[in-house]
Amino acid sequence: MSEPRALGRPADPALDDALIAAAIAELIELGYAGLTTAGVARRAGSSTAAIYRRWRSKQELVADTAARLVDDALAPVDTGTLAGDLAELLAHKHAAMAGGVGTALLTLIGASSHDEELAAVLRAEVFGRTRARVEQVLAQAAARGERVAGVDATAFAMLLTMAGLSPLIVGDGIPDAAYVRLLTAAVHHAGE
Amino acid sequence: MSEPRALGRPADPALDDALIAAAIAELIELGYAGLTTAGVARRAGSSTAAIYRRWRSKQELVADTAARLVDDALAPVDTGTLAGDLAELLAHKHAAMAGGVGTALLTLIGASSHDEELAAVLRAEVFGRTRARVEQVLAQAAARGERVAGVDATAFAMLLTMAGLSPLIVGDGIPDAAYVRLLTAAVHHAGE
């Protein structure tokens, strides 16, 4: 995850972690609209002052929270093939999205449609991280000699993100293998 | 769109249309959480009784409303190539999502994560329609002799849906051409 924005606070990683954990729990329980800095402080046994020493706004707190969730879903992969890497990325993502975490992220995406500040931080903290991981996977594929020419990494990251969220949107009806086949073919042949 | 669920109401397509139009306006202005059947009735110059003669719940009204929006985005296409069809589907989608409509749909997706009834109707009315259009486009491609073997139409519909929504989620930074290249390659080579 990114470091909380330093605003002259004393360093206290344990309290940072407690506040982020409380924010995750509040997001899962209440969604973005229901989350308040007061509620997060109360759950962490801390104070809103402690929150505002670390983050300038609810949106910034939530952005760091979302970044933490996404980092769990984006552990590095290197299986030896592009198809293997994509399958493992999707498996990590599903594991990280269990227990209400995916639902919490989905409410953030929905809320961002009426909240430009939230949209901007989500774009940077969540989507930006996914894109960086995708670029790494594509670079690994290229280094192995797999064809990756002509692939727009940003567009591909968007497709992969949504494949990862699809169980939340359309249920468990679509097997990962179907996505892996489509996405691997897309990468190998987009340059033709 | 699907017909409003008949519950013994007198047929009155003009009032059906006025209620749907009012629901669209309320969704754009207030999002799903803010929409009420009383507000929709007021805006349409009608009554909540008129709404409940047509739809059993807010979720059903919203489902028919979403279906109307999606039908506008899913006009039939037949350009002579798969790539052309996909480009036109994306262009239709962007046009239909302008003016706050896409934002309204995005709030529905977000809200569906905490509302199982809404999730079920969205799945059927919105995602089901997209899948049907995708199947038609794939059938056209097959009839022309383009390779479509091995494509999971449901997974592909999900990827296409999200390509269409991406300007709302990550801004206008990803050109449709990048998606068309990826998605066309995916279809043509998924069976390899």
Side-chain angles (χ1 to χ4, degrees):
Chain A
M1 65 170 282
S2 64
E3 289 305 302
R5 282 116 180 113
L7 298 174
R9 67 180 166 96
D12 182 353
L15 182 53
D16 294 349
D17 286 353
L19 289 168
I20 293 274
I24 292 173
E26 295 278 296
L27 268 184
I28 290 174
E29 203 171 299
L30 305 172
Y32 178 71
L35 178 146
T36 62
T37 50
V40 171
R42 198 177 317 120
R43 191 186 278 261
S46 181
S47 67
T48 53
I51 291 178
Y52 286 105
R53 274 196 295 275
R54 289 164 171 77
W55 298 279
R56 264 180 287 261
S57 63
K58 168 176 162 175
Q59 286 93 337
E60 283 197 357
L61 164 62
V62 166
D64 269 352
T65 304
R68 172 85 65 111
L69 298 177
V70 168
D71 277 352
D72 290 344
L74 286 175
V77 296
D78 191 0
T79 63
T81 64
L82 175 66
D85 285 358
L86 294 176
E88 202 161 305
L89 271 180
L90 284 175
H92 284 182
K93 193 140 191 167
H94 296 322
M97 295 296 123
V101 168
T103 303
L105 274 180
L106 210 53
T107 69
L108 292 184
I109 292 175
S112 73
S113 62
H114 281 94
D115 184 330
E116 192 41 53
E117 184 182 350
L118 178 64
V121 291
L122 277 182
R123 225 166 273 166
E125 299 292 331
V126 176
F127 190 68
R129 274 149 205 272
T130 304
R131 189 184 189 287
R133 178 63 69 225
V134 161
E135 284 185 328
Q136 190 206 358
V137 164
L138 293 176
Q140 285 170 189
R144 285 179 203 119
E146 293 191 62
R147 280 179 294 173
V148 304
V151 175
D152 181 312
T154 311
F156 187 71
M158 184 75 193
L159 295 181
L160 182 70
T161 297
M162 293 307 150
L165 288 177
S166 89
L168 302 170
I169 298 176
V170 295
D172 286 324
I174 309 176
D176 274 3
Y179 285 119
V180 170
R181 262 198 309 278
L182 284 166
L183 294 170
T184 305
V187 169
H188 284 162
H189 298 280
E192 292 173 6
Chain B
M1 63 170 285
S2 65
E3 289 304 302
R5 282 114 179 117
L7 298 174
R9 64 179 169 97
D12 181 353
L15 182 52
D16 294 349
D17 286 353
L19 289 167
I20 293 274
I24 292 173
E26 294 278 296
L27 268 184
I28 290 174
E29 202 172 300
L30 305 172
Y32 179 72
L35 178 146
T36 62
T37 49
V40 171
R42 199 177 316 120
R43 191 185 277 261
S46 182
S47 68
T48 52
I51 291 178
Y52 286 104
R53 273 197 295 276
R54 289 165 172 76
W55 298 280
R56 264 179 286 260
S57 63
K58 167 176 162 175
Q59 286 94 336
E60 284 199 355
L61 164 62
V62 166
D64 269 352
T65 303
R68 172 84 65 110
L69 297 177
V70 168
D71 278 352
D72 290 345
L74 287 175
V77 297
D78 191 0
T79 63
T81 65
L82 175 66
D85 285 358
L86 294 176
E88 202 160 304
L89 271 180
L90 284 175
H92 285 182
K93 194 141 191 169
H94 296 322
M97 294 297 123
V101 168
T103 303
L105 274 180
L106 210 53
T107 69
L108 291 185
I109 292 175
S112 72
S113 62
H114 281 94
D115 183 331
E116 192 40 53
E117 185 182 350
L118 179 63
V121 292
L122 277 183
R123 225 166 272 167
E125 299 293 330
V126 176
F127 190 69
R129 275 148 203 271
T130 303
R131 189 184 189 288
R133 177 64 70 225
V134 161
E135 285 185 328
Q136 189 205 358
V137 163
L138 293 176
Q140 286 169 189
R144 286 179 203 120
E146 294 190 60
R147 279 178 295 174
V148 303
V151 176
D152 182 311
T154 311
F156 188 71
M158 185 75 194
L159 295 180
L160 182 71
T161 297
M162 292 308 148
L165 289 177
S166 88
L168 301 169
I169 299 176
V170 295
D172 286 324
I174 309 175
D176 274 4
Y179 284 119
V180 170
R181 262 198 309 278
L182 285 166
L183 294 170
T184 305
V187 169
H188 283 161
H189 298 279
E192 292 174 6

PDB file of all heavy atoms in Angstrom, chain B residues 62-99:
ATOM      1  N   VAL B  62     -36.849  -0.119 -11.325  1.00  0.00           N
ATOM      2  CA  VAL B  62     -35.492   0.252 -11.722  1.00  0.00           C
ATOM      3  C   VAL B  62     -34.947  -0.730 -12.756  1.00  0.00           C
ATOM      4  O   VAL B  62     -34.233  -0.342 -13.686  1.00  0.00           O
ATOM      5  CB  VAL B  62     -34.588   0.342 -10.481  1.00  0.00           C
ATOM      6  CG1 VAL B  62     -33.121   0.388 -10.878  1.00  0.00           C
ATOM      7  CG2 VAL B  62     -34.957   1.575  -9.666  1.00  0.00           C
ATOM      8  N   ALA B  63     -35.301  -1.993 -12.618  1.00  0.00           N
ATOM      9  CA  ALA B  63     -34.837  -2.990 -13.597  1.00  0.00           C
ATOM     10  C   ALA B  63     -35.378  -2.671 -14.985  1.00  0.00           C
ATOM     11  O   ALA B  63     -34.635  -2.717 -15.980  1.00  0.00           O
ATOM     12  CB  ALA B  63     -35.275  -4.391 -13.167  1.00  0.00           C
ATOM     13  N   ASP B  64     -36.680  -2.346 -15.072  1.00  0.00           N
ATOM     14  CA  ASP B  64     -37.236  -2.000 -16.388  1.00  0.00           C
ATOM     15  C   ASP B  64     -36.615  -0.704 -16.913  1.00  0.00           C
ATOM     16  O   ASP B  64     -36.408  -0.552 -18.121  1.00  0.00           O
ATOM     17  CB  ASP B  64     -38.756  -1.854 -16.303  1.00  0.00           C
ATOM     18  CG  ASP B  64     -39.462  -3.175 -16.595  1.00  0.00           C
ATOM     19  OD1 ASP B  64     -38.782  -4.136 -16.999  1.00  0.00           O
ATOM     20  OD2 ASP B  64     -40.690  -3.237 -16.424  1.00  0.00           O
ATOM     21  N   THR B  65     -36.332   0.203 -15.998  1.00  0.00           N
ATOM     22  CA  THR B  65     -35.687   1.457 -16.395  1.00  0.00           C
ATOM     23  C   THR B  65     -34.291   1.182 -16.949  1.00  0.00           C
ATOM     24  O   THR B  65     -33.907   1.697 -18.007  1.00  0.00           O
ATOM     25  CB  THR B  65     -35.597   2.390 -15.168  1.00  0.00           C
ATOM     26  OG1 THR B  65     -36.913   2.578 -14.652  1.00  0.00           O
ATOM     27  CG2 THR B  65     -34.991   3.727 -15.540  1.00  0.00           C
ATOM     28  N   ALA B  66     -33.541   0.352 -16.248  1.00  0.00           N
ATOM     29  CA  ALA B  66     -32.189   0.009 -16.701  1.00  0.00           C
ATOM     30  C   ALA B  66     -32.247  -0.724 -18.040  1.00  0.00           C
ATOM     31  O   ALA B  66     -31.423  -0.499 -18.928  1.00  0.00           O
ATOM     32  CB  ALA B  66     -31.486  -0.850 -15.649  1.00  0.00           C
ATOM     33  N   ALA B  67     -33.258  -1.584 -18.194  1.00  0.00           N
ATOM     34  CA  ALA B  67     -33.393  -2.323 -19.447  1.00  0.00           C
ATOM     35  C   ALA B  67     -33.621  -1.355 -20.609  1.00  0.00           C
ATOM     36  O   ALA B  67     -33.064  -1.529 -21.701  1.00  0.00           O
ATOM     37  CB  ALA B  67     -34.546  -3.323 -19.345  1.00  0.00           C
ATOM     38  N   ARG B  68     -34.427  -0.312 -20.362  1.00  0.00           N
ATOM     39  CA  ARG B  68     -34.665   0.685 -21.412  1.00  0.00           C
ATOM     40  C   ARG B  68     -33.354   1.378 -21.796  1.00  0.00           C
ATOM     41  O   ARG B  68     -33.046   1.562 -22.975  1.00  0.00           O
ATOM     42  CB  ARG B  68     -35.685   1.712 -20.908  1.00  0.00           C
ATOM     43  CG  ARG B  68     -35.871   2.911 -21.822  1.00  0.00           C
ATOM     44  CD  ARG B  68     -36.861   2.628 -22.925  1.00  0.00           C
ATOM     45  NE  ARG B  68     -38.179   2.407 -22.373  1.00  0.00           N
ATOM     46  CZ  ARG B  68     -39.219   3.250 -22.512  1.00  0.00           C
ATOM     47  NH1 ARG B  68     -39.082   4.332 -23.242  1.00  0.00           N
ATOM     48  NH2 ARG B  68     -40.381   2.979 -21.943  1.00  0.00           N
ATOM     49  N   LEU B  69     -32.581   1.765 -20.787  1.00  0.00           N
ATOM     50  CA  LEU B  69     -31.303   2.438 -21.051  1.00  0.00           C
ATOM     51  C   LEU B  69     -30.364   1.530 -21.836  1.00  0.00           C
ATOM     52  O   LEU B  69     -29.670   1.960 -22.759  1.00  0.00           O
ATOM     53  CB  LEU B  69     -30.633   2.839 -19.729  1.00  0.00           C
ATOM     54  CG  LEU B  69     -31.395   3.840 -18.867  1.00  0.00           C
ATOM     55  CD1 LEU B  69     -30.657   4.082 -17.558  1.00  0.00           C
ATOM     56  CD2 LEU B  69     -31.598   5.152 -19.626  1.00  0.00           C
ATOM     57  N   VAL B  70     -30.347   0.247 -21.455  1.00  0.00           N
ATOM     58  CA  VAL B  70     -29.431  -0.684 -22.095  1.00  0.00           C
ATOM     59  C   VAL B  70     -29.863  -0.970 -23.530  1.00  0.00           C
ATOM     60  O   VAL B  70     -29.027  -1.093 -24.432  1.00  0.00           O
ATOM     61  CB  VAL B  70     -29.336  -1.978 -21.265  1.00  0.00           C
ATOM     62  CG1 VAL B  70     -28.626  -3.068 -22.030  1.00  0.00           C
ATOM     63  CG2 VAL B  70     -28.600  -1.678 -19.958  1.00  0.00           C
ATOM     64  N   ASP B  71     -31.179  -1.052 -23.765  1.00  0.00           N
ATOM     65  CA  ASP B  71     -31.638  -1.289 -25.135  1.00  0.00           C
ATOM     66  C   ASP B  71     -31.176  -0.168 -26.065  1.00  0.00           C
ATOM     67  O   ASP B  71     -30.799  -0.417 -27.211  1.00  0.00           O
ATOM     68  CB  ASP B  71     -33.165  -1.402 -25.178  1.00  0.00           C
ATOM     69  CG  ASP B  71     -33.625  -2.807 -24.790  1.00  0.00           C
ATOM     70  OD1 ASP B  71     -32.764  -3.689 -24.654  1.00  0.00           O
ATOM     71  OD2 ASP B  71     -34.838  -3.010 -24.644  1.00  0.00           O
ATOM     72  N   ASP B  72     -31.181   1.074 -25.552  1.00  0.00           N
ATOM     73  CA  ASP B  72     -30.691   2.180 -26.379  1.00  0.00           C
ATOM     74  C   ASP B  72     -29.215   1.983 -26.736  1.00  0.00           C
ATOM     75  O   ASP B  72     -28.763   2.414 -27.792  1.00  0.00           O
ATOM     76  CB  ASP B  72     -30.849   3.518 -25.634  1.00  0.00           C
ATOM     77  CG  ASP B  72     -32.322   3.927 -25.511  1.00  0.00           C
ATOM     78  OD1 ASP B  72     -33.157   3.346 -26.234  1.00  0.00           O
ATOM     79  OD2 ASP B  72     -32.622   4.811 -24.690  1.00  0.00           O
ATOM     80  N   ALA B  73     -28.482   1.353 -25.822  1.00  0.00           N
ATOM     81  CA  ALA B  73     -27.044   1.154 -26.035  1.00  0.00           C
ATOM     82  C   ALA B  73     -26.758  -0.077 -26.883  1.00  0.00           C
ATOM     83  O   ALA B  73     -25.620  -0.283 -27.303  1.00  0.00           O
ATOM     84  CB  ALA B  73     -26.330   1.017 -24.684  1.00  0.00           C
ATOM     85  N   LEU B  74     -27.789  -0.874 -27.140  1.00  0.00           N
ATOM     86  CA  LEU B  74     -27.551  -2.183 -27.778  1.00  0.00           C
ATOM     87  C   LEU B  74     -28.287  -2.340 -29.101  1.00  0.00           C
ATOM     88  O   LEU B  74     -28.725  -3.424 -29.449  1.00  0.00           O
ATOM     89  CB  LEU B  74     -27.972  -3.307 -26.821  1.00  0.00           C
ATOM     90  CG  LEU B  74     -27.053  -3.563 -25.625  1.00  0.00           C
ATOM     91  CD1 LEU B  74     -27.659  -4.618 -24.716  1.00  0.00           C
ATOM     92  CD2 LEU B  74     -25.674  -4.008 -26.072  1.00  0.00           C
ATOM     93  N   ALA B  75     -28.422  -1.242 -29.833  1.00  0.00           N
ATOM     94  CA  ALA B  75     -29.047  -1.338 -31.153  1.00  0.00           C
ATOM     95  C   ALA B  75     -28.269  -2.363 -31.987  1.00  0.00           C
ATOM     96  O   ALA B  75     -27.056  -2.495 -31.833  1.00  0.00           O
ATOM     97  CB  ALA B  75     -29.015   0.023 -31.827  1.00  0.00           C
ATOM     98  N   PRO B  76     -28.965  -3.105 -32.862  1.00  0.00           N
ATOM     99  CA  PRO B  76     -28.287  -4.121 -33.669  1.00  0.00           C
ATOM    100  C   PRO B  76     -27.190  -3.508 -34.545  1.00  0.00           C
ATOM    101  O   PRO B  76     -27.312  -2.364 -34.983  1.00  0.00           O
ATOM    102  CB  PRO B  76     -29.412  -4.680 -34.545  1.00  0.00           C
ATOM    103  CG  PRO B  76     -30.677  -4.330 -33.850  1.00  0.00           C
ATOM    104  CD  PRO B  76     -30.411  -3.054 -33.118  1.00  0.00           C
ATOM    105  N   VAL B  77     -26.116  -4.253 -34.757  1.00  0.00           N
ATOM    106  CA  VAL B  77     -25.024  -3.803 -35.628  1.00  0.00           C
ATOM    107  C   VAL B  77     -24.712  -4.926 -36.610  1.00  0.00           C
ATOM    108  O   VAL B  77     -24.863  -6.101 -36.288  1.00  0.00           O
ATOM    109  CB  VAL B  77     -23.744  -3.466 -34.829  1.00  0.00           C
ATOM    110  CG1 VAL B  77     -23.995  -2.308 -33.874  1.00  0.00           C
ATOM    111  CG2 VAL B  77     -23.250  -4.681 -34.032  1.00  0.00           C
ATOM    112  N   ASP B  78     -24.296  -4.558 -37.818  1.00  0.00           N
ATOM    113  CA  ASP B  78     -23.871  -5.554 -38.804  1.00  0.00           C
ATOM    114  C   ASP B  78     -23.043  -4.847 -39.874  1.00  0.00           C
ATOM    115  O   ASP B  78     -23.526  -4.498 -40.937  1.00  0.00           O
ATOM    116  CB  ASP B  78     -25.084  -6.253 -39.427  1.00  0.00           C
ATOM    117  CG  ASP B  78     -24.669  -7.475 -40.243  1.00  0.00           C
ATOM    118  OD1 ASP B  78     -23.445  -7.752 -40.318  1.00  0.00           O
ATOM    119  OD2 ASP B  78     -25.550  -8.147 -40.808  1.00  0.00           O
ATOM    120  N   THR B  79     -21.767  -4.641 -39.554  1.00  0.00           N
ATOM    121  CA  THR B  79     -20.905  -3.824 -40.421  1.00  0.00           C
ATOM    122  C   THR B  79     -20.151  -4.644 -41.457  1.00  0.00           C
ATOM    123  O   THR B  79     -19.505  -4.087 -42.330  1.00  0.00           O
ATOM    124  CB  THR B  79     -19.842  -3.086 -39.579  1.00  0.00           C
ATOM    125  OG1 THR B  79     -18.999  -4.074 -38.958  1.00  0.00           O
ATOM    126  CG2 THR B  79     -20.482  -2.229 -38.496  1.00  0.00           C
ATOM    127  N   GLY B  80     -20.166  -5.959 -41.313  1.00  0.00           N
ATOM    128  CA  GLY B  80     -19.427  -6.786 -42.264  1.00  0.00           C
ATOM    129  C   GLY B  80     -18.171  -7.400 -41.683  1.00  0.00           C
ATOM    130  O   GLY B  80     -17.600  -8.316 -42.278  1.00  0.00           O
ATOM    131  N   THR B  81     -17.709  -6.901 -40.535  1.00  0.00           N
ATOM    132  CA  THR B  81     -16.577  -7.541 -39.852  1.00  0.00           C
ATOM    133  C   THR B  81     -16.829  -7.526 -38.353  1.00  0.00           C
ATOM    134  O   THR B  81     -17.541  -6.650 -37.836  1.00  0.00           O
ATOM    135  CB  THR B  81     -15.231  -6.824 -40.087  1.00  0.00           C
ATOM    136  OG1 THR B  81     -15.295  -5.516 -39.485  1.00  0.00           O
ATOM    137  CG2 THR B  81     -14.901  -6.697 -41.562  1.00  0.00           C
ATOM    138  N   LEU B  82     -16.216  -8.476 -37.652  1.00  0.00           N
ATOM    139  CA  LEU B  82     -16.320  -8.511 -36.196  1.00  0.00           C
ATOM    140  C   LEU B  82     -15.750  -7.228 -35.590  1.00  0.00           C
ATOM    141  O   LEU B  82     -16.361  -6.610 -34.710  1.00  0.00           O
ATOM    142  CB  LEU B  82     -15.569  -9.732 -35.643  1.00  0.00           C
ATOM    143  CG  LEU B  82     -15.496  -9.805 -34.122  1.00  0.00           C
ATOM    144  CD1 LEU B  82     -16.876 -10.019 -33.505  1.00  0.00           C
ATOM    145  CD2 LEU B  82     -14.546 -10.919 -33.676  1.00  0.00           C
ATOM    146  N   ALA B  83     -14.572  -6.810 -36.068  1.00  0.00           N
ATOM    147  CA  ALA B  83     -13.948  -5.604 -35.513  1.00  0.00           C
ATOM    148  C   ALA B  83     -14.870  -4.398 -35.702  1.00  0.00           C
ATOM    149  O   ALA B  83     -15.028  -3.566 -34.799  1.00  0.00           O
ATOM    150  CB  ALA B  83     -12.589  -5.358 -36.171  1.00  0.00           C
ATOM    151  N   GLY B  84     -15.490  -4.309 -36.889  1.00  0.00           N
ATOM    152  CA  GLY B  84     -16.414  -3.191 -37.144  1.00  0.00           C
ATOM    153  C   GLY B  84     -17.621  -3.251 -36.235  1.00  0.00           C
ATOM    154  O   GLY B  84     -18.071  -2.223 -35.705  1.00  0.00           O
ATOM    155  N   ASP B  85     -18.149  -4.457 -36.039  1.00  0.00           N
ATOM    156  CA  ASP B  85     -19.319  -4.599 -35.161  1.00  0.00           C
ATOM    157  C   ASP B  85     -18.978  -4.195 -33.728  1.00  0.00           C
ATOM    158  O   ASP B  85     -19.765  -3.517 -33.058  1.00  0.00           O
ATOM    159  CB  ASP B  85     -19.825  -6.047 -35.167  1.00  0.00           C
ATOM    160  CG  ASP B  85     -20.565  -6.402 -36.456  1.00  0.00           C
ATOM    161  OD1 ASP B  85     -20.714  -5.511 -37.326  1.00  0.00           O
ATOM    162  OD2 ASP B  85     -20.998  -7.559 -36.588  1.00  0.00           O
ATOM    163  N   LEU B  86     -17.794  -4.613 -33.254  1.00  0.00           N
ATOM    164  CA  LEU B  86     -17.415  -4.284 -31.878  1.00  0.00           C
ATOM    165  C   LEU B  86     -17.206  -2.772 -31.731  1.00  0.00           C
ATOM    166  O   LEU B  86     -17.623  -2.170 -30.730  1.00  0.00           O
ATOM    167  CB  LEU B  86     -16.148  -5.046 -31.476  1.00  0.00           C
ATOM    168  CG  LEU B  86     -16.298  -6.571 -31.386  1.00  0.00           C
ATOM    169  CD1 LEU B  86     -14.942  -7.219 -31.067  1.00  0.00           C
ATOM    170  CD2 LEU B  86     -17.336  -6.968 -30.331  1.00  0.00           C
ATOM    171  N   ALA B  87     -16.573  -2.165 -32.741  1.00  0.00           N
ATOM    172  CA  ALA B  87     -16.362  -0.708 -32.679  1.00  0.00           C
ATOM    173  C   ALA B  87     -17.706   0.018 -32.638  1.00  0.00           C
ATOM    174  O   ALA B  87     -17.889   0.982 -31.879  1.00  0.00           O
ATOM    175  CB  ALA B  87     -15.546  -0.241 -33.888  1.00  0.00           C
ATOM    176  N   GLU B  88     -18.667  -0.470 -33.433  1.00  0.00           N
ATOM    177  CA  GLU B  88     -19.966   0.210 -33.455  1.00  0.00           C
ATOM    178  C   GLU B  88     -20.730  -0.026 -32.159  1.00  0.00           C
ATOM    179  O   GLU B  88     -21.383   0.885 -31.642  1.00  0.00           O
ATOM    180  CB  GLU B  88     -20.774  -0.269 -34.667  1.00  0.00           C
ATOM    181  CG  GLU B  88     -21.850   0.736 -35.054  1.00  0.00           C
ATOM    182  CD  GLU B  88     -22.335   0.555 -36.487  1.00  0.00           C
ATOM    183  OE1 GLU B  88     -21.483   0.589 -37.402  1.00  0.00           O
ATOM    184  OE2 GLU B  88     -23.562   0.377 -36.679  1.00  0.00           O
ATOM    185  N   LEU B  89     -20.652  -1.241 -31.615  1.00  0.00           N
ATOM    186  CA  LEU B  89     -21.294  -1.494 -30.319  1.00  0.00           C
ATOM    187  C   LEU B  89     -20.747  -0.552 -29.246  1.00  0.00           C
ATOM    188  O   LEU B  89     -21.505   0.021 -28.453  1.00  0.00           O
ATOM    189  CB  LEU B  89     -21.049  -2.939 -29.872  1.00  0.00           C
ATOM    190  CG  LEU B  89     -22.039  -4.011 -30.308  1.00  0.00           C
ATOM    191  CD1 LEU B  89     -21.604  -5.365 -29.744  1.00  0.00           C
ATOM    192  CD2 LEU B  89     -23.460  -3.696 -29.836  1.00  0.00           C
ATOM    193  N   LEU B  90     -19.428  -0.368 -29.221  1.00  0.00           N
ATOM    194  CA  LEU B  90     -18.827   0.528 -28.226  1.00  0.00           C
ATOM    195  C   LEU B  90     -19.267   1.971 -28.463  1.00  0.00           C
ATOM    196  O   LEU B  90     -19.576   2.700 -27.516  1.00  0.00           O
ATOM    197  CB  LEU B  90     -17.295   0.418 -28.248  1.00  0.00           C
ATOM    198  CG  LEU B  90     -16.717  -0.834 -27.580  1.00  0.00           C
ATOM    199  CD1 LEU B  90     -15.206  -0.904 -27.773  1.00  0.00           C
ATOM    200  CD2 LEU B  90     -17.054  -0.867 -26.079  1.00  0.00           C
ATOM    201  N   ALA B  91     -19.331   2.381 -29.743  1.00  0.00           N
ATOM    202  CA  ALA B  91     -19.758   3.757 -30.041  1.00  0.00           C
ATOM    203  C   ALA B  91     -21.203   3.979 -29.596  1.00  0.00           C
ATOM    204  O   ALA B  91     -21.537   5.005 -28.991  1.00  0.00           O
ATOM    205  CB  ALA B  91     -19.599   4.047 -31.536  1.00  0.00           C
ATOM    206  N   HIS B  92     -22.088   3.009 -29.884  1.00  0.00           N
ATOM    207  CA  HIS B  92     -23.489   3.098 -29.423  1.00  0.00           C
ATOM    208  C   HIS B  92     -23.526   3.240 -27.910  1.00  0.00           C
ATOM    209  O   HIS B  92     -24.279   4.024 -27.359  1.00  0.00           O
ATOM    210  CB  HIS B  92     -24.259   1.837 -29.781  1.00  0.00           C
ATOM    211  CG  HIS B  92     -24.634   1.731 -31.225  1.00  0.00           C
ATOM    212  ND1 HIS B  92     -25.355   0.683 -31.721  1.00  0.00           N
ATOM    213  CD2 HIS B  92     -24.389   2.540 -32.269  1.00  0.00           C
ATOM    214  CE1 HIS B  92     -25.528   0.840 -33.022  1.00  0.00           C
ATOM    215  NE2 HIS B  92     -24.951   1.965 -33.378  1.00  0.00           N
ATOM    216  N   LYS B  93     -22.726   2.409 -27.277  1.00  0.00           N
ATOM    217  CA  LYS B  93     -22.739   2.373 -25.817  1.00  0.00           C
ATOM    218  C   LYS B  93     -22.328   3.732 -25.249  1.00  0.00           C
ATOM    219  O   LYS B  93     -22.979   4.262 -24.344  1.00  0.00           O
ATOM    220  CB  LYS B  93     -21.784   1.280 -25.343  1.00  0.00           C
ATOM    221  CG  LYS B  93     -21.969   0.951 -23.902  1.00  0.00           C
ATOM    222  CD  LYS B  93     -21.846  -0.544 -23.657  1.00  0.00           C
ATOM    223  CE  LYS B  93     -22.293  -0.880 -22.264  1.00  0.00           C
ATOM    224  NZ  LYS B  93     -22.450  -2.304 -22.041  1.00  0.00           N
ATOM    225  N   HIS B  94     -21.254   4.295 -25.770  1.00  0.00           N
ATOM    226  CA  HIS B  94     -20.804   5.591 -25.265  1.00  0.00           C
ATOM    227  C   HIS B  94     -21.883   6.653 -25.472  1.00  0.00           C
ATOM    228  O   HIS B  94     -22.139   7.480 -24.600  1.00  0.00           O
ATOM    229  CB  HIS B  94     -19.515   6.034 -25.947  1.00  0.00           C
ATOM    230  CG  HIS B  94     -18.356   5.123 -25.666  1.00  0.00           C
ATOM    231  ND1 HIS B  94     -18.165   4.531 -24.432  1.00  0.00           N
ATOM    232  CD2 HIS B  94     -17.331   4.700 -26.443  1.00  0.00           C
ATOM    233  CE1 HIS B  94     -17.072   3.776 -24.483  1.00  0.00           C
ATOM    234  NE2 HIS B  94     -16.564   3.855 -25.673  1.00  0.00           N
ATOM    235  N   ALA B  95     -22.523   6.625 -26.662  1.00  0.00           N
ATOM    236  CA  ALA B  95     -23.562   7.630 -26.939  1.00  0.00           C
ATOM    237  C   ALA B  95     -24.715   7.474 -25.952  1.00  0.00           C
ATOM    238  O   ALA B  95     -25.235   8.464 -25.416  1.00  0.00           O
ATOM    239  CB  ALA B  95     -24.058   7.489 -28.384  1.00  0.00           C
ATOM    240  N   ALA B  96     -25.101   6.220 -25.697  1.00  0.00           N
ATOM    241  CA  ALA B  96     -26.246   5.986 -24.810  1.00  0.00           C
ATOM    242  C   ALA B  96     -25.912   6.297 -23.355  1.00  0.00           C
ATOM    243  O   ALA B  96     -26.806   6.591 -22.558  1.00  0.00           O
ATOM    244  CB  ALA B  96     -26.714   4.533 -24.943  1.00  0.00           C
ATOM    245  N   MET B  97     -24.632   6.253 -23.011  1.00  0.00           N
ATOM    246  CA  MET B  97     -24.232   6.466 -21.613  1.00  0.00           C
ATOM    247  C   MET B  97     -23.984   7.942 -21.296  1.00  0.00           C
ATOM    248  O   MET B  97     -23.685   8.290 -20.159  1.00  0.00           O
ATOM    249  CB  MET B  97     -22.952   5.675 -21.298  1.00  0.00           C
ATOM    250  CG  MET B  97     -23.116   4.162 -21.340  1.00  0.00           C
ATOM    251  SD  MET B  97     -24.271   3.511 -20.113  1.00  0.00           S
ATOM    252  CE  MET B  97     -25.434   2.630 -21.158  1.00  0.00           C
ATOM    253  N   ALA B  98     -24.098   8.813 -22.305  1.00  0.00           N
ATOM    254  CA  ALA B  98     -23.840  10.241 -22.081  1.00  0.00           C
ATOM    255  C   ALA B  98     -24.946  10.860 -21.231  1.00  0.00           C
ATOM    256  O   ALA B  98     -25.975  10.238 -20.978  1.00  0.00           O
ATOM    257  CB  ALA B  98     -23.726  10.951 -23.428  1.00  0.00           C
ATOM    258  N   GLY B  99     -24.717  12.079 -20.808  1.00  0.00           N
ATOM    259  CA  GLY B  99     -25.758  12.842 -20.118  1.00  0.00           C
ATOM    260  C   GLY B  99     -26.158  12.270 -18.772  1.00  0.00           C
ATOM    261  O   GLY B  99     -27.289  12.450 -18.326  1.00  0.00           O
TER     262      GLY B  99
END
